[in-house]
Amino acid sequence: MKCTSCGRGVETEKYWVKFTCPDCGKVEIIRCEKCKNQSNQYTCKCGFTGP
Ligand SMILES: [Zn+2]
Ligand SMILES: [Zn+2]
């Protein structure tokens, strides 16, 4: 599994989050701790961009 924002693998990370896209509700968004702290943007396959 990879962070949706930066593409880094999260398996080895202690803290990361996984949630479904709030727009389409189908695609899983994965964010590593770094991207969550920095509020990096992510882009879903459906085109939705979120903080
Ligand atoms: Zn990341
Ligand atoms: Zn989506």
Side-chain angles (χ1 to χ4, degrees):
M1 288 190 283
K2 285 179 180 176
C3 171
T4 306
S5 298
C6 68
R8 222 155 52 105
V10 294
E11 280 101 339
T12 54
E13 302 291 320
K14 277 183 189 167
Y15 183 78
W16 51 277
V17 291
K18 182 168 81 171
F19 56 95
T20 50
C21 169
D23 192 46
C24 66
K26 290 175 187 171
V27 182
E28 282 183 339
I29 309 288
I30 295 168
R31 301 187 83 198
C32 67
E33 183 177 16
K34 197 175 139 201
C35 290
K36 191 167 159 44
N37 286 342
Q38 296 179 350
S39 295
N40 283 351
Q41 284 204 333
Y42 61 85
T43 305
C44 175
K45 286 171 193 165
C46 72
F48 178 79
T49 308

